[in-house]
């Protein structure tokens, strides 16, 4: 049967439960530990920072399926199910025998998949009777998504936005303001850690790690506030599993089994969500897929990082997470994929990578934008710079199929649109885009900041 | 049966034919006439400016259904069918017994309904063996859409963009460039008419009428080029009927009969497309609907204009069209709904308005943005400033239902998203948004420029 251009599920087919990858992992991801005692953090230790229910989800590595609350499902129905698209025109343009599909998460005002976890986190915060939440945002996708979710449930929202994004992406800032959120350029003078970082490096372009420090400080020092995070954590990958579950339901309807599944990775929420049910099958020994995480060469946590316990933030006030990391002090060059500039990687994906379940590749910015433009002209959707990394990797795999004559089925995650990232496209259109691949010496500076934690923790 | 949040049709349910309102009009819209002879323009006279097939469609006021070419249908399948959404959350927020639906045309990179006609026009131009097309754009929606369509069929694209939009909307400009189009601020020095207008009014913020003059001049003075237009013309309303046809198919599935249908009007393509099958039923005496065109008070062609033959452009080089007009020299205040700043109105809609088939209202900019923000927070989609006029009118009608206790069914056209219009939202968020309602004296200046054409033409 010929697949349509867009496979849409009905609203009734939106999954009623999220899937928790950890339940099927034989080697569980390492737990968050205290920087002081090196002991796993308990519910009581985590709840001053995070909402109670989200801590429960964070600590749960055994329950495979967790019910999606009715209210969250109601919100999902505003913009979900999202379509699985067949890239017929891109295939033709590339002249490849490969069949290319993409799960498109950009059809909402936040323009990305981030809304899937934002509404869940805002819902639990509201249910707990909190007054507001704080967070950080890199590209602005998470901040926008959280603003929308908070406006919906009626919660205050304070967003620390990485300085280079804050300055590049004024449109994103205004979307957040339109949804009633408060957006601050990070590092800022609003927090002690921000003041300290500004004193030490007044010309910094900021980083996600630094913005996290500020958001956590702002949460724990204000009554009725908690901190929420848009990626990296197990709870976020849990919520984002809705992407993969929908993808699998849609493809299964047409009897389509992917050979290769590709997603871009910053903290890992998009890729982790997309592959969720497929990696579950692999972990249970039922099936095999090539699962490829794509990161920028400017911030190569998987491909050049160390698998170590490290701080999640620059200010070193968060718990330690075991992950592929470039060191919490590593500041990548100010490239245009703001969402992929995080120094570390989801503990779940890190363990899967260490175990050889998933692969990773790093790609450079300019060819990424070449593929983005090719894709936009063929398929009519202008990708986010982050998502364009997955587009580029899919193009390379499709061209490899052209060389080998294999008609592989490639599925990638188009996690968002680039409508708020036109400054990046302007640089590309003007021919002035460059990239900086860190030298071994530059990486060594970041690695030196990784704390010394015994291997047997 | 409860309607879902989103009614999606299958790709097979995309209409195979466009509907031509004119075929069912007893009083046909007045034909385009020559400014010199006051005689209706012939195929031979129009084809130096427009593509042959589009001229045929422009002159055809008798054929009710016209086949959509296979290639155009193929392109439609990239982003159509577009959903009809039930505004459950907005209804709740307003506390209205009314049922509110909206047809959402913003799920594509151009961010609006304009793509529906852009691909048709680009297809016919390419089929005729042309080298390129020229056009004007106000808000930038049409220019973006045409760029996408031209990139797809392989046609050069030159866009004259109204100066105030060109300066406000740099992101739109970069989308056009990403799709390979050439965008010029209008008035420009690239044309004789642009040079003349700049000499006379060097500080002008531009107007659609002026940009049209430039685009037409650029088309007729270049080999292998034709001019294309994103609104006003009969051919454009024909292509846009796909909006209304899909809307009706979707609503009919659930047995939903609208009481009121609302759309914003600049040149009339969105509203004319949305109401097409419904106005057809009215013209054939089969049904009755309240059909409401919404325009800005700053550019009130329906509500304060004169129904006269007038030039379609400021430079007075186009044919004369009979329409509700403020005069081709009228320059509205630089408000943020760039797409609604045209001095005239579709001849089809003008005749329907003169005959009392459709209604019109004018609304002010600030309450429009208040409704836009309310809608964005409730429904998760940030509307284009143009579309926000329809949102506002729908909100007012829903509040009237609350007062009267009537559970009317209101359908409005959400013609596009505001993602590229965040400068407008920034002004609103900063509390510095104002509006200018033209005085009778200001309108009189525009009316004085309307040519003297005998009534019996």
């Amino acid at each position: 049967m010929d697949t349509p251009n867009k496979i849409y599920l009905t609203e009734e087919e939106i999954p009623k439960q999220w899937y928790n990858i950890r339940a099927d992992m034989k080697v569980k991801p390492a737990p968050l530990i205290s920087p002081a005692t090196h002991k796993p953090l308990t519910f009581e230790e985590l709840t001053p920072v995070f909402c109670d229910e989200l801590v429960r989800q964070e600590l749960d590595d055994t329950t495979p399926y967790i019910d999606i609350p009715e209210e969250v499902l109601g919100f999902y129905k505003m913009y979900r199910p999202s379509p699985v698209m067949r890239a017929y025109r891109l295939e033709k343009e590339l002249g490849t025998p490969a069949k290319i599909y993409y799960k498109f998460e950009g059809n909402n005002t936040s323009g990305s998949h981030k809304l899937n976890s934002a509404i869940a986190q805002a819902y639990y915060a509201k249910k707990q009777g909190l007054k507001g939440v704080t967070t950080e945002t890199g590209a602005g996708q998470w901040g926008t998504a959280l603003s929308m979710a908070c406006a919906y449930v009626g919660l205050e929202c304070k967003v620390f936005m990485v300085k280079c994004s804050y300055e590049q992406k004024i449109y994103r800032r205004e979307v957040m303001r339109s949804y009633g959120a408060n957006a601050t350029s990070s590092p800022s003078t609003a927090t002690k850690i921000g003041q300290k970082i500004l004193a030490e490096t007044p010309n910094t372009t900021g980083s996600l790690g630094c913005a996290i420090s500020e958001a956590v400080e702002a949460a724990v020092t204000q009554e009725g506030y908690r901190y929420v995070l848009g990626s990296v954590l197990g709870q976020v990958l849990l919520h984002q599993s809705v992407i993969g579950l929908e993808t699998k339901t849609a493809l299964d309807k047409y009897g389509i089994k992917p050979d290769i599944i590709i997603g871009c990775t910053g903290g890992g929420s998009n890729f982790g969500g997309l592959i969720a049910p497929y990696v579950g099958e692999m972990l249970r020994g039922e099936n095999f897929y090539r699962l490829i995480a794509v990161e920028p060469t400017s911030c190569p946590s998987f491909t050049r990082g160390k698998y170590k316990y490290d701080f999640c933030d620059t200010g070193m006030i968060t718990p330690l997470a075991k992950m592929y990391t470039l060191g919490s002090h590593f500041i990548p060059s100010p490239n245009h994929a703001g969402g992929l500039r995080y120094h570390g990687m989801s503990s779940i994906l890190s363990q899967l990578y260490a175990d050889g379940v998933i692969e990773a590749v790093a790609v450079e910015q300019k060819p990424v934008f070449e593929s983005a433009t090719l894709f936009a002209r063929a398929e009519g959707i202008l990708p986010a710079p982050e998502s364009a990394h997955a587009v580029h990797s899919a193009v390379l795999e499709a061209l490899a199929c052209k060389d080998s004559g294999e008609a592989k089925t490639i599925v990638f995650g188009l996690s968002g649109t680039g409508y708020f990232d036109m400054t990046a496209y302007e640089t590309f259109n003007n021919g002035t885009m460059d990239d900086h691949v860190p030298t071994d010496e530059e990486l060594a500076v970041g690695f030196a900041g990784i704390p010394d934690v015994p291997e047997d923790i």
Side-chain angles (χ1 to χ4, degrees), chain A:
Chain A
M1 160 166 51
D2 249 19
T3 46
N5 291 260
K6 304 173 294 300
I7 310 176
Y8 268 108
L9 302 175
T10 67
E11 286 169 18
E12 288 313 302
E13 290 173 305
I14 296 175
K16 306 282 186 296
Q17 298 184 307
W18 293 303
Y19 168 64
N20 186 2
I21 297 174
R22 292 168 289 179
D24 282 312
M25 290 172 74
K26 279 177 202 80
V27 184
K28 302 289 181 191
L32 295 170
I33 63 170
S34 153
T37 66
H38 292 181
K39 293 227 167 76
L41 287 162
T42 62
F43 180 82
E44 289 70 24
E45 288 168 314
L46 285 167
T47 45
V49 179
F50 299 106
C51 308
D52 295 1
E53 188 58 34
L54 292 168
V55 171
R56 267 180 218 109
Q57 294 181 352
E58 196 59 36
L59 297 175
D60 185 346
D61 59 9
T62 54
T63 312
Y65 290 96
I66 292 173
D67 286 346
I68 304 176
E70 267 308 315
E71 294 81 351
V72 174
L73 271 177
F75 187 88
Y76 278 176
K77 286 179 185 171
M78 290 202 324
Y79 68 101
R80 306 201 70 81
S82 71
V84 171
M85 322 279 273
R86 173 76 182 268
Y88 279 120
R89 296 154 201 83
L90 179 65
E91 291 169 17
K92 197 176 154 195
E93 189 72 29
L94 296 173
T96 177
K99 296 183 177 74
I100 310 176
Y101 296 86
Y102 56 99
K103 176 72 167 170
F104 180 41
E105 290 287 318
N107 271 351
N108 68 74
T109 291
S110 81
S112 84
H113 68 294
K114 294 287 185 186
L115 206 49
N116 303 330
S117 184
I119 185 59
Q121 299 195 41
Y123 166 76
Y124 291 124
K126 184 72 183 180
K127 203 179 162 203
Q128 195 177 321
L130 296 175
K131 190 177 161 197
V133 290
T134 68
T135 198
E136 75 295 327
T137 197
Q141 295 179 339
W142 169 245
T144 323
L146 190 68
S147 304
M148 291 177 67
C150 286
Y152 188 78
V153 302
L155 206 60
E156 291 177 14
C157 179
K158 298 196 179 181
V159 182
F160 291 88
M161 188 168 181
V162 177
K163 189 182 174 193
C164 62
S165 287
Y166 187 88
E167 290 172 357
Q168 271 173 21
K169 304 192 176 181
I170 51 165
Y171 278 27
R172 282 244 179 242
R173 190 180 68 210
E174 292 306 322
V175 177
M176 291 188 235
R177 287 181 73 202
S178 294
Y179 281 92
N182 174 299
T184 306
S185 175
S186 168
S188 78
T189 54
T191 64
K192 284 185 185 158
I193 191 74
Q195 291 162 12
K196 182 164 173 283
I197 292 169
L198 278 176
E200 285 166 10
T201 50
N203 296 321
T204 178
T205 52
S207 70
L208 267 180
C210 159
I212 293 174
S213 300
E214 290 206 83
V216 172
E217 182 185 324
V220 297
T221 55
Q222 279 175 101
E223 187 68 27
Y225 266 80
R226 289 294 186 284
Y227 166 70
V228 295
L229 181 62
S231 192
V232 181
L233 296 176
Q235 61 188 262
V236 182
L237 266 70
L238 174 74
H239 306 148
Q240 294 296 356
S241 68
V242 70
I243 304 172
L245 293 165
E246 280 187 10
T247 303
K248 188 156 163 40
T249 304
L251 293 180
D252 284 354
K253 276 197 177 187
Y254 290 87
I256 300 158
K257 182 182 176 290
D259 295 300
I260 306 172
I261 304 176
I262 299 169
C264 61
T265 45
S269 77
N270 155 61
F271 180 67
L274 176 67
I275 63 171
Y278 294 101
V279 82
E281 290 185 358
M282 283 179 76
L283 292 167
R284 295 188 302 271
E286 299 163 3
N287 245 322
F288 175 78
Y289 308 94
R290 277 189 65 204
L291 307 175
I292 307 176
V294 191
E295 61 186 14
T297 47
S298 59
C299 193
S301 26
F302 265 140
T303 52
R304 295 175 71 194
K306 295 200 185 301
Y307 191 29
K308 295 266 195 186
Y309 262 109
D310 194 8
F311 287 99
C312 299
D313 68 326
T314 311
M316 303 195 289
I317 64 171
T318 62
L320 299 178
K322 192 173 177 190
M323 54 187 179
Y324 282 87
T325 178
L326 300 165
S328 65
H329 281 71
F330 176 77
I331 306 272
S333 70
N335 74 20
H336 292 289
L340 306 184
R341 298 179 76 241
Y342 186 61
H343 69 276
M345 187 56 67
S346 147
S347 290
I348 295 175
L349 294 183
S350 291
Q351 188 59 47
L352 291 172
Y353 185 61
D355 291 342
V357 180
I358 63 173
E359 307 170 32
V361 292
V363 292
E364 287 196 50
Q365 187 165 238
K366 213 173 138 188
V368 161
F369 273 81
E370 283 162 5
S371 289
T373 303
L374 176 79
F375 179 83
R377 294 186 187 188
E379 293 289 320
I381 302 172
L382 194 91
E386 293 80 7
S387 321
H389 286 68
V391 173
H392 182 57
S393 177
V395 165
L396 295 180
E397 292 292 339
L399 291 176
C401 285
K402 187 178 180 177
D403 286 342
S404 68
E406 290 171 287
K408 286 185 185 167
T409 297
I410 301 168
V411 176
F412 73 89
L414 189 70
S415 55
T417 58
Y419 307 157
F420 295 110
D421 304 299
M422 294 315 299
T423 309
Y425 279 91
E426 185 178 18
T427 308
F428 178 72
N429 291 337
N430 289 341
T432 54
M433 176 165 279
D434 58 8
D435 203 359
H436 177 70
V437 180
T439 62
D440 286 342
E441 289 69 30
E442 285 165 336
L443 288 187
V445 176
F447 292 149
I450 300 176
D452 202 16
V453 176
E455 277 298 319
D456 57 349
I457 293 289

